[in-house]
Amino acid sequence: MRHMASVERTAYPRFKRTVSSRELHESFTPGPSEVAWAQGKARSAEHVLALVVLLKSYQKLGYCPDLAEVPELVVGHVRGLLGLGEDVAPTHDSARTLRHHRTVVRERLGVVYDQEKAREIAAAAIYEAVQTKDNPADLINVALEELVKARLELPGYTTLDEMAAAIRTKVNEDFFARVVSRMDEVEQVRLLALLRVVAGSRSKFDEVKRPAKAPTVSHLREHLTYLDSLELLGPTVKWLDGVPPGKVEHFAGQAKMLDAAEMSKVGMVKRLALLASLLHMAKVRARDELVTMLCKRMGSVTKKAKEDLEKIRERHRAESERLLAVLGEVLEAAKDAVGFDGESVTLPTSARKRNQVHAECGEAVLGRLEKASGLAKLSEDHELVSAHHGDNYAPLMRRHFRSHRKVLLDLTEVLEMVATSTDDEALRAVEFCQAMRHRGSEWVPVTYTVTDEDGVEKTSTVTAGFASQMWQRILFDKRRPKLINRRHFEVCTLSYLVQELRTGDVAVIGSESYANLHDQLLSWEACRPLVAGYCEQAGLPATAAAFTVALKQQLTAVAAKVDAGYPDNADLTIDAASGKIVLTPRKGKDRRKSAQDLEAEILKRLPEWSLLDVLARTAYWIQWWRHFGPASGSDPKIRDKLARYVLTVFCYGTNAGPAQVARHMRQKVSVHELSLAGNQHITAEKLNMASADVIDMFIQLDVAHVWGDVGKAGIDGSQYDTWENNLLAESHIRYGGFGGLSLRHVSDTYIALFSHFIPCGVWEAVYLFEGLLKNESEVTVDIVHGDTQGQSLPVFGLAHMLGVQLLPRIRNWKDLTFYRVSSTVKYQHIDPLFGDPEKDVINWRLIENHFEDLMRVVLSIREGKLSSAALLRRLGNESRRNRIYQAYRELGRVIRTIVLLRFLSEPGLRESIQAMTNKVEAFHKFSNWLMFASDVLQDNDPVHQEKIIKFNELLANCLIFHTAQDITKVVNDLVDEGWEVDPVDLATVTPYITSKIRRFGTWHLDMEPPEQEAMGRLRMAA
């Protein structure tokens, strides 16, 4: 029996359970011409109403619904606008009248009712999409998009669902058969053995799915063995050749969500194909994890060496001071001997007397040196202190590397690495280390011999040209020509290899996060037809020359404006003589007493809720749970889906876990039921879509009315824009619902969802942008706020190319470089802000020459070809060879300089950035309050960790929405009672209210006397 895909998880248009007043106004309000048209096509009031309702419904849905399906709220809204009485109902006297009405509606809207053609177009679209996509809901959405483009009336949902299922099954079966046909019988048996469960132990199937552990030496060895065991299971690259990567990932995802018993119930061919896909993705993940472990271990070695250097310096500090004292005594003795008068030395004119003075000086100096413990001892002490006087920690790394040496060299031998440019010096150094790893001597020849795969020997000479002078001093010795220090060279090579892997200058074959960037980027030929449309959407010039000119003009204009406005800038002070720059902070505005009184009254009247009740109510209103379900995309087969998913979100969103929630629930629910829903039915992507539903509900609730009411209050849009804590405005009072949410506030709240678990710096910013690109809500985000660490130059460049303003918190602006338009440009007032005119100048030629590279990156991201992890390393680690990094860094210099100039000259911008940062921090605090069971993520699996955070975000969003609704009702009551509610005061009321929420539910103390029984006593055996 086939289970159809739930209509709620697709974009198939349908009437929602709740219709907001904004939606009624925007989607179901007929214009004068539409009313006149309907009155010309129908005679009776009932037919006019029916015709208008059909017209507006078709415009909303894309097909003609049955009038019985139209919500009474919509019918009543249209009836009122037409001036008809309550007794008038939309009806058709006959099937003929209904057909006539549907025909004239289609004619007016210019759409065609041709079900055969619609099925043909839908089938073609689904067949093309199923080559890379697998979720039935996604396939139906692709068909809907093509049908809308073709101006065809949509067929029924069941038709599309059956079509998608049939095509998907046929294509997938072809893929499965192709994969299995490439396996021999032994390989099939080996794969099926993974599902065998031996009594008292787990299957090897579970072992394939396990993530890496902490990057200790023992875990590194264990993970290398793990990768070897995966490789022995079969050549997955050969099996899966020709299967699109997206399909492989989806097949692997299906297998990962099943246990061994469930996999054994799947058909044999499909079972083998799913196992092959899972095995392949496990290999990819294992390589990624091994490289990450290598990077972390070498980072730890470097850190410990630096700590050792600091300890040595501390120990030698007293010795350094003693040597300086000796030097002072020697200088005093020399000055006395030569008669130094404090300014100059006057030596005798005769050679004999000069020699006598020199002799006396030397004798005095030697005497002081001898008194200070002797020349030999002082020389030894000086050599010891000098060895660690600089910042050269390289000699100290070897002692910490020694315990890691074998496993790290084994790792570089197992992983197949390639250089992404013509410079492969680091890889040749790795080859040398492998060739010399079993030598016992510390100094080895720089010439070595290796044997290639064909058995041919080749002789090469290693160089350390990539190494810094710090390393060069300990790698080579003038007394040992043509020899190199093998032990130090191994540490040096792996240190630089890690840097090359992070920048992407070295790639790992068969990896995903460390794959070759150029293999993931779209070609320029594929990008060229997309550039114009993307640039128009992002607000960018579409040619290299125009792009560069626009940037140059923008930086020139902003700098000139700030320079001209400096005399009127009361906050900024620049002392031209000393170069001292001071930006005086402004005092924040105090809340008005009326706002405080309003908030106090609201808090007093707000009802108390249990957290579970809040989740259940929002789930019923918004149906955010509709996105959850099996990986196959079919409708869930669990009983009472809504309740199960509500409990699951509570279980993981509070980080209580299935065991504790099942134990404390009065209703009967098992640990397995909660675990199954959390692990098999819900992914991070589905949680994103659920959160987007909650956010979209805000957008639908009367935002259009806010601007009208604010205008009536005498407040212009720019003022309204500054009230960024606004969740409610006068529209709540006048129009009901939960309207008035600031669009910008929604955007920033949504951005906050992606920053909880992300480390600071470029990682945070890039994942923020990835979140924006995967934004499932209707909110269009054009401003991104981040913390101070988000000031990386390439990230500013990426933000600009994505059409987004990056406005991070700026604390250390004095330490940042302001770049000039050209070396000849000088400014009357603000010139001290800018860097060196000869060095800190924008390289406009670099930006123009690499415009294609800039566009290839953003278009590849948009098309889903480039992983964020691969991009991260290129933007987060400086590379002297990576032209993409260099281009984005140069673009970032332009954009960051513009932002810094605006920051210094626009008090409103500074206030806005601070307000947004405070808001995000408040959201973090609020969501952490909801994770009351534990704020520690126990599971080491990063996928599971991300899901826990997403569960918590969904929980927080639901509570914010529910609180906004309660505030709306309270404010409406206050207005009815005669309160004067000022929108300015209302805008300061925060939705992050915890005092009215019972996180732990309601406890009941039973004081009924227990049954009478003897008190137990433990009896011990004699």
Side-chain angles (χ1 to χ4, degrees):
M1 175 181 173
R2 187 185 73 82
H3 293 272
M4 68 182 295
S6 176
V7 64
E8 289 86 1
R9 295 205 298 275
T10 72
Y12 192 85
R14 58 197 175 85
F15 290 110
K16 298 178 181 177
R17 180 174 295 176
T18 57
V19 183
S20 68
S21 56
R22 180 196 180 201
E23 188 174 6
L24 285 174
H25 176 75
E26 292 186 348
S27 301
F28 297 104
T29 300
S33 62
E34 292 174 328
V35 173
W37 166 81
Q39 291 172 343
K41 296 292 183 180
R43 296 181 180 178
S44 68
E46 289 80 6
H47 286 181
V48 170
L49 177 58
L51 188 54
V52 174
V53 168
L54 274 181
L55 174 67
K56 303 311 292 183
S57 297
Y58 198 113
Q59 289 172 336
K60 180 67 176 177
L61 303 179
Y63 59 89
C64 285
D66 291 334
L67 288 176
E69 298 175 3
V70 182
E72 180 56 38
L73 193 62
V74 172
V75 175
H77 174 73
V78 176
R79 183 192 293 120
L81 293 174
L82 293 177
L84 301 175
E86 292 291 333
D87 58 333
V88 178
T91 58
H92 296 103
D93 297 336
S94 63
R96 179 180 177 183
T97 304
L98 173 60
R99 288 195 298 272
H100 173 67
H101 280 188
R102 289 179 173 177
T103 301
V104 296
V105 165
R106 292 166 186 144
E107 289 174 352
R108 177 171 177 83
L109 297 178
V111 294
V112 177
Y113 180 73
D114 187 339
Q115 293 297 286
E116 184 177 348
K117 185 176 181 182
R119 285 193 292 270
E120 181 182 328
I121 291 177
I126 291 173
Y127 185 82
E128 182 179 355
V130 80
Q131 304 300 320
T132 55
K133 302 178 185 291
D134 199 76
N135 192 299
D138 293 336
L139 302 178
I140 292 172
N141 291 343
V142 170
L144 291 173
E145 185 177 350
E146 291 302 315
L147 290 170
V148 170
K149 288 180 182 178
R151 304 290 295 168
L152 288 169
E153 180 167 332
L154 302 181
Y157 178 77
T158 304
T159 301
L160 293 176
D161 179 60
E162 292 175 351
M163 183 185 301
I167 296 174
R168 172 177 177 263
T169 299
K170 176 65 171 62
V171 171
N172 284 352
E173 286 177 350
D174 290 344
F175 280 135
F176 296 153
R178 187 189 310 175
V179 171
V180 175
S181 68
R182 294 166 178 165
M183 301 178 187
D184 59 33
E185 188 174 344
V186 174
E187 291 170 338
Q188 293 181 21
V189 170
R190 194 182 298 140
L191 277 184
L192 294 174
L194 293 174
L195 303 176
R196 190 178 304 124
V197 180
V198 180
S201 65
R202 301 179 68 88
S203 68
K204 293 183 180 179
F205 181 66
D206 289 336
E207 180 69 13
V208 171
K209 297 189 283 186
R210 73 167 178 83
K213 300 178 182 178
T216 63
V217 174
S218 60
H219 289 162
L220 260 170
R221 294 194 189 100
E222 181 183 324
H223 216 55
L224 277 172
T225 304
Y226 167 72
L227 178 59
D228 286 340
S229 67
L230 295 181
E231 294 288 4
L232 292 173
L233 288 172
T236 55
V237 173
K238 184 187 79 172
W239 296 343
L240 297 167
D241 183 37
V243 182
K247 299 292 283 189
V248 174
E249 289 183 27
H250 190 89
F251 295 155
Q254 284 190 50
K256 188 176 181 180
M257 288 190 172
L258 302 177
D259 58 27
E262 291 167 327
M263 277 292 291
S264 298
K265 298 176 184 177
V266 177
M268 180 60 72
V269 175
K270 181 179 179 179
R271 189 189 319 166
L272 286 167
L274 293 185
L275 286 171
S277 300
L278 178 67
L279 176 59
H280 179 76
M281 294 309 299
K283 292 180 184 179
V284 171
R285 189 196 68 239
R287 295 186 190 100
D288 286 344
E289 291 168 339
L290 282 171
V291 178
T292 300
M293 294 169 87
L294 166 65
C295 294
K296 288 182 176 179
R297 291 320 307 164
M298 289 308 300
S300 176
V301 168
T302 303
K303 180 182 178 182
K304 290 178 179 178
K306 290 180 178 179
E307 290 172 350
D308 285 353
L309 178 61
E310 189 56 38
K311 291 177 183 177
I312 292 172
R313 286 173 175 168
E314 188 64 33
R315 288 200 303 267
H316 291 169
R317 189 159 290 151
E319 195 64 29
S320 300
E321 292 174 356
R322 187 179 73 82
L323 290 175
L324 284 174
V326 172
L327 175 61
E329 293 176 4
V330 169
L331 291 174
E332 288 298 326
K335 287 192 284 187
D336 291 343
V338 298
F340 180 65
D341 60 4
E343 294 184 359
S344 61
V345 175
T346 305
L347 294 175
T349 56
S350 68
R352 184 177 64 80
K353 289 185 177 181
R354 278 202 306 275
N355 291 338
Q356 183 180 352
V357 169
H358 289 159
E360 292 173 355
C361 180
E363 187 176 343
V365 167
L366 288 173
R368 295 297 180 93
L369 293 175
E370 192 63 32
K371 183 180 178 181
S373 70
L375 185 61
K377 181 67 168 62
L378 285 172
S379 178
E380 180 183 342
D381 293 343
H382 174 264
E383 185 176 349
L384 181 63
V385 171
S386 296
H388 304 290
H389 182 69
D391 196 28
N392 191 358
Y393 55 84
L396 304 174
M397 291 179 66
R398 190 176 68 183
R399 57 180 295 216
H400 299 291
F401 175 77
R402 192 178 299 124
S403 61
H404 301 63
R405 176 180 180 270
K406 182 180 185 306
V407 66
L408 293 184
L409 288 178
D410 286 346
L411 189 153
T412 59
E413 191 171 30
V414 167
L415 297 178
E416 188 177 356
M417 295 177 286
V418 294
T420 58
S421 67
T422 55
D423 186 351
D424 63 346
E425 199 169 9
L427 291 183
R428 286 191 283 112
V430 172
E431 182 182 72
F432 174 81
C433 291
Q434 295 293 349
M436 296 291 182
R437 64 181 298 182
H438 299 299
R439 292 286 191 97
S441 55
E442 182 173 1
W443 294 88
V444 296
V446 294
T447 301
Y448 65 101
T449 302
V450 294
T451 305
D452 61 21
E453 296 178 353
D454 299 326
V456 179
E457 291 187 348
K458 67 170 184 176
T459 301
S460 303
T461 300
V462 72
T463 64
F466 58 86
S468 66
Q469 287 299 316
M470 178 179 75
W471 282 105
Q472 298 282 353
R473 287 196 292 270
I474 61 175
L475 292 178
F476 299 102
D477 189 339
K478 293 180 180 178
R479 296 167 296 181
R480 297 181 175 89
K482 297 185 179 180
L483 296 179
I484 192 169
N485 189 303
R486 175 183 58 82
R487 295 170 183 168
H488 282 306
F489 187 68
E490 289 174 348
V491 188
C492 172
T493 296
L494 289 185
S495 297
Y496 277 91
L497 176 64
V498 163
Q499 180 65 17
E500 299 276 271
L501 287 166
R502 284 174 171 162
T503 60
D505 294 330
V506 169
V508 177
I509 295 177
S511 166
E512 180 179 46
S513 297
Y514 297 89
N516 190 339
L517 172 68
H518 299 287
D519 293 341
Q520 295 179 326
L521 288 176
L522 290 172
S523 67
W524 179 241
E525 288 70 26
C527 289
R528 186 179 284 112
L530 306 175
V531 169
Y534 177 82
C535 287
E536 181 180 359
Q537 179 185 358
L540 302 172
T543 65
F547 179 79
T548 308
V549 168
L551 285 172
K552 194 171 185 178
Q553 290 175 346
Q554 187 179 2
L555 178 55
T556 301
V558 171
K561 180 180 178 181
V562 175
D563 189 49
Y566 173 76
D568 299 323
N569 191 339
D571 301 331
L572 182 64
T573 303
I574 302 175
D575 190 330
S578 64
K580 185 177 181 181
I581 305 171
V582 177
L583 183 64
T584 306
R586 293 193 173 191
K587 183 181 178 181
K589 297 178 182 178
D590 294 330
R591 290 181 70 195
R592 301 188 306 190
K593 186 177 184 305
S594 58
Q596 296 174 10
D597 292 343
L598 175 63
E599 183 177 43
E601 188 65 26
I602 289 173
L603 287 174
K604 185 169 70 173
R605 299 191 183 206
L606 280 179
E608 287 194 353
W609 292 101
S610 162
L611 193 53
L612 263 176
D613 289 342
V614 169
L615 268 179
R617 287 162 64 85
T618 57
Y620 181 81
W621 290 334
I622 307 173
Q623 295 184 287
W624 45 256
W625 56 274
R626 65 193 176 93
H627 301 287
F628 303 159
S632 63
S634 60
D635 207 32
K637 293 179 281 187
I638 57 178
R639 58 181 175 83
D640 201 354
K641 295 175 288 187
L642 188 150
R644 180 81 64 82
Y645 290 142
V646 165
L647 274 179
T648 304
V649 172
F650 177 83
C651 161
Y652 291 103
T654 61
N655 206 17
Q660 289 299 318
V661 171
R663 182 182 179 189
H664 288 82
M665 284 299 300
R666 180 169 297 179
Q667 294 97 327
K668 186 177 180 181
V669 61
S670 69
V671 176
H672 174 73
E673 287 175 327
L674 293 175
S675 298
L676 182 142
N679 295 330
Q680 298 188 14
H681 286 206
I682 304 175
T683 64
E685 291 75 18
K686 292 176 181 178
L687 287 165
N688 280 343
M689 291 188 284
S691 276
D693 277 357
V694 182
I695 294 168
D696 286 341
M697 193 62 175
F698 281 116
I699 302 304
Q700 295 168 14
L701 302 176
D702 300 327
V703 176
H705 296 304
V706 173
W707 299 101
D709 285 343
V710 168
K712 294 173 188 175
I715 302 163
D716 62 26
S718 62
Q719 289 174 302
Y720 184 82
D721 232 10
T722 64
W723 306 331
E724 305 210 327
N725 278 328
N726 175 50
L727 271 177
L728 304 163
E730 195 175 7
S731 60
H732 295 153
I733 306 166
R734 304 304 177 205
Y735 296 93
F738 329 117
L741 178 68
S742 162
L743 286 177
R744 180 176 295 181
H745 180 83
V746 178
S747 302
D748 291 309
T749 301
Y750 187 67
I751 296 309
L753 305 185
F754 295 92
S755 60
H756 286 253
F757 65 100
I758 300 167
C760 294
V762 70
W763 288 78
E764 176 183 1
V766 173
Y767 275 120
L768 279 175
F769 294 141
E770 183 186 23
L772 291 177
L773 293 166
K774 295 180 179 179
N775 178 10
E776 300 286 348
S777 84
E778 297 175 4
V779 179
T780 300
V781 180
D782 56 3
I783 298 176
V784 173
H785 293 276
D787 210 344
T788 308
Q789 293 83 1
Q791 295 180 27
S792 164
L793 287 170
V795 174
F796 270 99
L798 177 62
H800 183 73
M801 294 304 296
L802 291 174
V804 173
Q805 289 187 65
L806 176 61
L807 298 177
R809 187 204 308 248
I810 302 176
R811 283 176 174 167
N812 57 336
W813 62 268
K814 290 183 181 179
D815 300 329
L816 303 176
T817 302
F818 289 64
Y819 291 86
R820 297 176 185 270
V821 173
S822 71
S823 58
T824 58
V825 170
K826 304 290 182 183
Y827 301 97
Q828 181 180 356
H829 303 292
I830 64 172
D831 203 67
L833 291 174
F834 291 84
D836 188 339
E838 300 301 324
K839 183 178 66 173
D840 300 323
V841 179
I842 301 297
N843 186 344
W844 300 106
R845 184 183 297 276
L846 176 66
I847 294 174
E848 184 170 352
N849 289 346
H850 292 289
F851 176 74
E852 291 183 4
D853 292 320
L854 296 173
M855 290 304 307
R856 287 178 66 200
V857 167
V858 293
L859 289 172
S860 298
I861 293 173
R862 191 186 71 166
E863 298 298 317
K865 301 295 184 182
L866 176 62
S867 73
S868 60
L871 180 62
L872 260 175
R873 289 189 308 282
R874 287 146 182 82
L875 296 183
N877 298 274
E878 184 169 356
S879 170
R880 56 193 172 86
R881 296 190 296 276
N882 192 327
R883 66 188 186 192
I884 291 175
Y885 170 87
Q886 294 167 358
Y888 271 97
R889 180 186 61 184
E890 203 65 25
L891 175 59
R893 287 172 173 172
V894 178
I895 304 304
R896 192 179 71 180
T897 300
I898 292 172
V899 171
L900 290 175
L901 288 171
R902 290 186 57 207
F903 179 80
L904 297 181
S905 62
E906 299 178 21
L909 179 63
R910 295 198 296 274
E911 292 173 3
S912 174
I913 290 174
Q914 185 62 37
M916 287 300 101
T917 307
N918 293 342
K919 196 177 305 168
V920 171
E921 290 175 351
F923 184 87
H924 290 174
K925 184 178 179 180
F926 180 75
S927 59
N928 288 339
W929 181 83
L930 291 171
M931 197 177 279
F932 58 82
S934 173
D935 59 357
V936 178
L937 302 181
Q938 302 289 349
D939 199 301
N940 193 49
D941 184 357
V943 174
H944 184 74
Q945 290 177 350
E946 183 182 7
K947 281 174 63 174
I948 294 293
I949 298 301
K950 301 289 186 185
F951 273 116
N952 179 250
E953 292 161 1
L954 175 57
L955 181 61
N957 280 331
C958 288
L959 182 51
I960 291 170
F961 178 86
H962 194 274
T963 302
Q965 183 212 15
D966 283 345
I967 294 174
T968 297
K969 292 179 179 178
V970 170
V971 172
N972 282 331
D973 291 341
L974 290 174
V975 172
D976 291 340
E977 295 171 16
W979 273 69
E980 291 290 337
V981 178
D982 190 330
V984 178
D985 294 338
L986 194 54
T988 66
V989 178
T990 176
Y992 306 142
I993 297 173
T994 59
S995 59
K996 298 293 182 176
I997 301 300
R998 298 190 299 271
R999 292 183 294 181
F1000 309 108
T1002 304
W1003 296 343
H1004 174 68
L1005 176 62
D1006 187 356
M1007 291 303 295
E1008 290 293 324
E1011 295 180 8
Q1012 294 296 319
E1013 57 183 27
M1015 300 298 290
R1017 187 178 67 180
L1018 183 65
R1019 295 190 294 272
M1020 303 294 291

